[in-house]
Structures are given as C-alpha cells and as structure tokens.
Amino acid sequence: MNTLGRRQFLKLAAVLPALAALPGLARATTAPPRVVVVGAGFGGATVAKYLRLWGGNIDVTLVDANARHTSCILSNLVVTGELAMSRISLGFHALRTRYGINVLQGRALSIDAPGNSVTIRTPGGNQVLPYDHLVLSPGIDFSPAPGNWNPSLTPHAWQAGAQTTLLKNQLASMRNNDVFVMTVPKAPYRCPPGPYERAAVVADYLKRKGRTGARVIVLDANAGITAEPEAFEHAFNITHAGVIEYYPNASVESVDSATRSIVTSAKSISRAKVLNYIPDQRAGAIAASMPLDSAGFVPVDPLTYGTADHPNIHVIGDACAVPATDSKAVPKSGHMANAEAKICADAIIRLLNGETPDEDIATGSACYSPITNKISSWLSANFAYGDIFDANGQVKGKGMHRVDLGEAASDMIDGDSYQDMFKWAESLFADSFG
Ligand SMILES: Cc1cc2nc3c(=O)[nH]c(=O)nc-3n(C[C@H](O)[C@H](O)[C@H](O)COP(=O)(O)OP(=O)(O)OC[C@H]3O[C@@H](n4cnc5c(N)ncnc54)[C@H](O)[C@@H]3O)c2cc1C
C-alpha cells in the first residue's frame, strides 16, 4: 500500500481535488468489511469512491433517495437561465462501473446503532443493510417555518432540482416594477456566500431583461453579510445599485406563501411577485437521530468524522459540526464535504486495519460567486488539525483551525474568475462523481 501517497494526498486535500488511483489497502482473506454510505452528494459520492480506490476489497454500498444527484453548485446560474439543468445533474454510472460501488436507490429510514444496520425504503420494499462502518452525508433539512410556508408556492431552491426549476420559472415571470424577496438564514447554513450570490445574479438578470423598476429585497437574519462582505457590499451598492435593497437583522416572524408575504424584525413585505424563502437549516433527518449541537448539526471527531456515541457511525458534509475555534468557521460547502470525505475514507481504512487515524490532516474549500453573467468573486479557506481556542484564547481542545482565508478584493472580481469557476466546478464534479 502506498501510505505515503495517500498521506500526501490528504495533506493536499485543501487544494483543488484531483483524481488519484492508489493501490488498495485492506486485503482481507475473510469476508470483506462492509461500509454503507447514506447520501450520494458531494460528501457521500466522494467517500464511497475513495474507500474503493484506497481500501481495496471493502464492500461499499452507496444509498441515495434519487437516481441522480442535482448539484447546488452552479444552480444559481440555472435559476437565471445561464446554464441548463443538465449541467448540474450528476449520475452514478462511473461510481458503479469504475469503482465497483453498489449504488442503491432508496431512502434511509432508521439506524439500529447497537445492531449495526440501517433500514432503507426502496421501490421494491424495505431492505436492512448490515455495516461495519456507516457514513451519513445527507446534507441539510429545514427548521420549521413560522406561519404558513408552502415550498411548492414560494420555493427555497436550497436543495437543487425541482425547486431550482420552480424559482427559475417564477423569476422569468417578473415584469417591470415587480419585487423579488429573498431571505438569508441564520448561520450556520449551507454555502455562506450562496444567498448573496443569488441576490446578485437575480439583480443582473432583471437588468439584462430590461425589467425597469424591478427590485431584489434581501432580508438577512444575520447582523451583516456573513461571507465576502467587501465583494458583496460592492455588488449590492455599486454593481447593482438601485436594484438590490439589503436589510440585516431581519429575523423571520411569519411567512404566508398563499399571498407571498413575509414579516421580519427589520422589514415586512406583502404580495411580492416572488418570495424565495430560504429557511434556517439543520442536519438532514437521518443524521438527526445522532446527538446534535445547539444549531442542529452532529458534532464529530475531525480525525475520523465518527460520532461520540458511535465511533463507527461517521457524519460528513453539511450535516456535521467540526470542532473549531469559531464554530461557524468551517464552511458547509461541497468542496469541504469532498475534503472531509477523503479524511473519513482514510480513517475508516486505518481503523479496519487496526491502525490509528492520521493526525497530519488538512481540509479546505473554495467558492466562486458570480456577480453578473460575466464576472465572479471567490473565497478560499484552508484548515489544519491542531489546538483550537476559546473566547479567552485558552486551548479548549483539538479541532480544525483555519490557517488561511482568501477573499477577492473588489478589483479581483472579473471575467477570469468567472471562467475559473467553471474549471473549478468541473474538477470537483469529476473528483466526486467521475
Ligand atoms: C445556491 C448554492 C450554491 C452553492 N455553491 C457552492 C460553491 O460554489 N462551492 C461549494 O463548495 N459549495 C457550494 N454550495 C454548497 C454545496 O452544495 C453543499 O455544501 C454540498 O452539496 C454538501 O454536500 P453533502 O454531501 O453534505 O450534501 P448533498 O450534496 O446535498 O447530498 C446529500 C444527498 O443525500 C441524499 N439524502 C438525504 N437524506 C437521505 C436519506 N435519508 N436516504 C437517502 N438519501 C438521502 C440526498 O438525496 C442528496 O443527494 C452551494 C449551495 C447552494 C444552495
């Protein structure tokens, strides 16, 4: 086994993903160990692939409720009609045929942790899958909305697919002087820059379509812009001045989808043309059967992504809470889910071989945020395992500490970044699903 190669790869996890076919590690002479992965998004697809690439004869079953994964990454450009839906639709064919992963379409209903099995509802009936290790990467679910929210009338489009198409059609129906209202959920939520990016590209769309007097009203539950503040202040106040209105500290008090009306602590709107309500978020339902932190996500050991009560149940991606100095520092992003998946795969292989997890690990994430259909901003953050600190600067334990943060200054928001965004996304898609 090329341990050095895998370790170097994990240390490089912070940079752009790359394909790496390494020789298998686990070579059991008895029945192969079984790993079940729930959720075939950026976290789940990647952990399944790398368990097979690095782990040799591990029997990997990847379960997803859908026959294909629809990526949230780039989905705001589907809303504005820049990209076709097919561009963000990712299949599981390569995972099946290239890596020998058993892909099962079905919904995980419940976990029997003492019995090491998970029950899956499939079109052919319930199946109980035994496992040695279970990895959960179910993404997010939504906290209950105050009032009468019906996502079929007022979409979130924060899980891509039918919701993306619905929001796209509603945006296309806007005319002069119409109002597009959107909310920004309380952090932590999936993709910190994502809501601001959406506001920018929707404003750009309305301008390009000549919708005179049409506006985008952003109601942010947070005290201010939570990611890339310089870039988005520039986007809201200069690039899209007069089109975007931004209100911080706008906690949602009630939503009424029938009338597309919303009441918040900062501003209330009645009868918007489009109400894009993005609710507060928490771990996907199947992971919510694990102990949760106060924000509704699953605390994990950053060396294995195992949970405190069940070290052989691992939670990665948006659903997990990674210990850090600032609990919101590790972003809930597809790139981060991909990096966590590789650390989790490596740790599972080590544990199956009776070894201890590697402590020399790093994760990272990049995000590109289109501001118009020609220019993009970007953000990158890298993390390494080590001491983490409390508010008084005292060591509070071990976790992932941020070693650098890069944000595009306003003069770096340009066409080159817009083109880099597609290269970066295709690379991530291929590393997770190809
Ligand atoms: C508008 C927008 C833009 C974004 N842009 C970026 C970006 O530029 N860069 C970036 O890195 N990230 C971006 N993200 C964030 C990124 O999409 C998520 O962080 C990422 O998808 C998280 O991966 P995951 O594996 O945790 O969840 P997901 O990728 O959502 O995958 C979860 C999967 O689990 C399945 N599932 C859930 N529950 C069950 C169950 N019980 N049984 C079976 N299957 C189940 C779902 O069907 C789904 O396929 C963006 C998000 C949004 C909304």
Side-chain angles (χ1 to χ4, degrees):
M1 153 55 204
N2 184 349
T3 307
L4 185 63
R6 202 171 83 217
R7 291 187 66 198
Q8 282 172 334
F9 190 95
L10 289 168
K11 287 198 73 178
L12 287 171
V15 296
L16 271 185
L19 281 172
L22 297 173
L25 193 151
R27 298 270 176 234
T29 49
T30 54
R34 288 166 303 200
V35 180
V36 176
V37 180
V38 172
F42 286 95
T46 308
V47 76
K49 170 177 163 177
Y50 279 86
L51 279 164
R52 292 288 300 155
L53 266 176
W54 291 340
N57 69 343
I58 298 176
D59 180 344
V60 178
T61 300
L62 176 62
V63 181
D64 201 283
N66 299 309
R68 299 177 69 81
H69 180 71
T70 309
S71 164
C72 285
I73 298 173
L74 300 182
S75 65
N76 282 334
L77 295 179
V78 176
V79 170
T80 59
E82 288 298 311
L83 297 181
M85 189 61 115
S86 57
R87 189 79 181 267
I88 58 168
S89 173
L90 301 166
F92 308 133
H93 182 71
L95 297 175
R96 264 196 198 97
T97 56
R98 249 184 234 168
Y99 308 105
I101 296 163
N102 312 307
V103 180
L104 176 65
Q105 190 181 348
R107 180 164 287 282
L109 297 179
S110 60
I111 300 165
D112 173 4
N116 290 329
S117 69
V118 54
T119 300
I120 313 293
R121 187 178 62 219
T122 74
N126 284 3
Q127 290 188 28
V128 177
L129 302 183
Y131 61 77
D132 296 296
H133 287 264
L134 174 66
V135 184
L136 303 175
S137 190
I140 50 148
D141 264 343
F142 299 113
S143 303
N148 295 307
W149 179 49
N150 179 349
S152 310
L153 298 175
T154 54
H156 51 78
W158 220 242
Q159 288 162 325
Q163 282 277 300
T164 313
T165 306
L166 181 59
L167 188 62
K168 171 188 156 91
N169 292 341
Q170 292 188 352
L171 175 63
S173 75
M174 285 183 68
R175 296 292 172 259
N176 292 351
N177 301 313
D178 281 345
V179 175
F180 182 105
V181 175
M182 62 175 293
T183 60
V184 182
K186 204 150 193 51
Y189 59 86
R190 161 175 284 182
C191 193
Y196 311 108
E197 164 190 313
R198 179 171 288 169
V201 295
V202 166
D204 179 58
Y205 170 94
L206 294 171
K207 282 156 63 180
R208 283 188 289 109
K209 295 288 173 189
R211 305 286 184 253
T212 312
R215 285 174 300 147
V216 178
I217 297 181
V218 183
L219 303 173
D220 191 339
N222 302 287
I225 293 174
T226 60
E228 300 175 68
E230 182 184 338
F232 288 113
E233 275 163 23
H234 189 271
F236 291 3
N237 300 328
I238 296 173
T239 315
H240 300 306
V243 181
I244 297 180
E245 283 175 31
Y246 174 75
Y247 296 89
N249 295 310
S251 293
V252 178
E253 292 169 0
S254 77
V255 180
D256 182 26
S257 292
T259 60
R260 297 179 306 282
S261 302
I262 186 162
V263 177
T264 80
S265 50
K267 173 102 180 152
S268 299
I269 307 281
S270 291
R271 300 188 180 279
K273 178 69 178 181
V274 178
L275 176 55
N276 174 208
Y277 172 59
I278 306 171
D280 290 351
Q281 294 160 29
R282 57 191 186 187
I286 190 72
S289 55
M290 303 286 113
L292 303 176
D293 69 7
S294 59
F297 297 95
V298 186
V300 291
D301 173 354
L303 295 182
T304 63
Y305 289 85
T307 54
D309 294 357
H310 304 288
N312 68 335
I313 301 181
H314 310 254
V315 182
I316 58 174
D318 289 355
C320 77
V322 178
T325 297
D326 167 1
S327 64
K328 292 172 193 152
V330 177
K332 297 190 181 302
S333 76
H335 198 149
M336 181 56 76
N338 170 284
E340 292 171 353
K342 290 171 189 165
I343 289 171
C344 180
D346 179 71
I348 290 173
I349 294 164
R350 285 171 192 273
L351 293 170
L352 287 171
N353 286 342
E355 299 168 15
T356 52
D358 190 2
E359 294 198 1
D360 193 9
I361 53 169
T363 59
S365 178
C367 257
Y368 286 86
S369 294
I371 301 297
T372 71
N373 70 338
K374 300 223 164 18
I375 59 170
S376 174
S377 173
W378 53 265
L379 163 74
S380 76
N382 293 310
F383 298 82
Y385 182 72
D387 288 340
I388 56 171
F389 302 90
D390 64 18
N392 301 318
Q394 301 297 311
V395 174
K396 66 175 178 184
K398 294 278 189 191
M400 300 306 287
H401 68 94
R402 194 164 65 198
V403 289
D404 63 64
L405 174 69
E407 294 184 347
S410 48
D411 61 351
M412 297 159 93
I413 300 170
D414 58 19
D416 287 347
S417 299
Y418 193 80
Q419 294 310 322
D420 288 346
M421 171 177 69
F422 294 112
K423 290 184 210 146
W424 163 84
E426 292 304 334
S427 166
L428 181 65
F429 291 0
D431 190 52
S432 299
F433 294 88

